[in-house]
Amino acid sequence: EGLFLEDEKSVLLAEDARSFAEKLARLLDDESLQNAIADSAYQSALNHFSWKSITKSLVEAYKTIIA
Protein backbone atom coordinates (compact mmCIF):
# COMPACT_ATOMS: atom_id res chain seq x y z
CA GLU A 1 0.00 0.00 0.00
CA GLY A 2 1.26 3.45 -0.86
CA LEU A 3 3.70 2.18 -3.48
CA PHE A 4 1.47 2.90 -6.51
CA LEU A 5 2.00 -0.57 -7.95
CA GLU A 6 -0.59 -2.57 -9.86
CA ASP A 7 -0.78 -6.36 -9.79
CA GLU A 8 0.07 -7.96 -13.13
CA LYS A 9 1.26 -4.61 -14.48
CA SER A 10 4.13 -3.31 -12.35
CA VAL A 11 4.36 -6.16 -9.87
CA LEU A 12 3.24 -9.74 -9.43
CA LEU A 13 1.46 -10.23 -6.10
CA ALA A 14 0.96 -13.59 -4.44
CA GLU A 15 -1.22 -14.62 -1.51
CA ASP A 16 0.76 -17.70 -0.49
CA ALA A 17 3.99 -19.60 -1.15
CA ARG A 18 2.52 -21.73 -3.94
CA SER A 19 1.15 -18.72 -5.79
CA PHE A 20 4.45 -16.92 -5.30
CA ALA A 21 6.37 -19.86 -6.80
CA GLU A 22 3.97 -20.04 -9.76
CA LYS A 23 4.26 -16.33 -10.48
CA LEU A 24 8.02 -16.40 -10.11
CA ALA A 25 8.29 -19.34 -12.53
CA ARG A 26 6.03 -17.50 -14.99
CA LEU A 27 8.16 -14.39 -14.72
CA LEU A 28 11.40 -16.32 -15.23
CA ASP A 29 9.99 -18.02 -18.33
CA ASP A 30 8.49 -14.93 -19.99
CA GLU A 31 10.97 -12.28 -21.14
CA SER A 32 8.22 -10.00 -22.45
CA LEU A 33 6.53 -10.09 -19.03
CA GLN A 34 9.87 -9.27 -17.38
CA ASN A 35 10.29 -6.25 -19.66
CA ALA A 36 6.69 -5.08 -19.26
CA ILE A 37 6.82 -5.24 -15.46
CA ALA A 38 10.25 -3.59 -15.36
CA ASP A 39 9.11 -0.75 -17.63
CA SER A 40 5.89 -0.18 -15.70
CA ALA A 41 7.61 -0.27 -12.31
CA TYR A 42 10.28 2.15 -13.57
CA GLN A 43 7.65 4.59 -14.83
CA SER A 44 5.77 4.33 -11.54
CA ALA A 45 8.97 5.14 -9.63
CA LEU A 46 9.64 8.15 -11.87
CA ASN A 47 6.06 9.40 -11.57
CA HIS A 48 5.84 9.10 -7.80
CA PHE A 49 9.34 9.14 -6.31
CA SER A 50 11.57 11.25 -8.56
CA TRP A 51 12.90 14.57 -7.26
CA LYS A 52 10.70 16.36 -9.79
CA SER A 53 7.58 14.57 -8.57
CA ILE A 54 8.41 15.03 -4.89
CA THR A 55 9.22 18.72 -5.40
CA LYS A 56 5.91 19.27 -7.18
CA SER A 57 4.02 17.65 -4.29
CA LEU A 58 5.91 19.70 -1.71
CA VAL A 59 5.27 22.98 -3.55
CA GLU A 60 1.55 22.16 -3.70
CA ALA A 61 1.54 21.32 0.02
CA TYR A 62 3.33 24.58 0.88
CA LYS A 63 0.87 26.55 -1.26
CA THR A 64 -2.00 24.98 0.66
CA ILE A 65 -0.41 25.77 4.01
CA ILE A 66 0.35 29.42 3.29
CA ALA A 67 -2.88 30.18 1.41
Side-chain angles (χ1 to χ4, degrees):
E1 196 162 319
L3 293 178
F4 308 101
L5 300 173
E6 187 178 338
D7 190 24
E8 298 290 327
K9 184 174 179 187
S10 53
V11 69
L12 295 177
L13 299 176
E15 295 292 324
D16 53 40
R18 180 184 196 97
S19 176
F20 175 76
E22 290 169 355
K23 289 191 177 199
L24 182 57
R26 185 173 135 225
L27 183 64
L28 291 172
D29 288 339
D30 188 342
E31 188 174 348
S32 65
L33 180 60
Q34 293 168 21
N35 292 330
I37 288 179
D39 291 344
S40 180
Y42 179 73
Q43 284 304 313
S44 180
L46 285 180
N47 293 339
H48 300 287
F49 303 110
S50 68
W51 283 113
K52 183 178 180 178
S53 173
I54 292 169
T55 301
K56 183 178 177 181
S57 295
L58 278 174
V59 167
E60 291 303 316
Y62 292 153
K63 285 180 180 178
T64 301
I65 292 169
I66 61 174

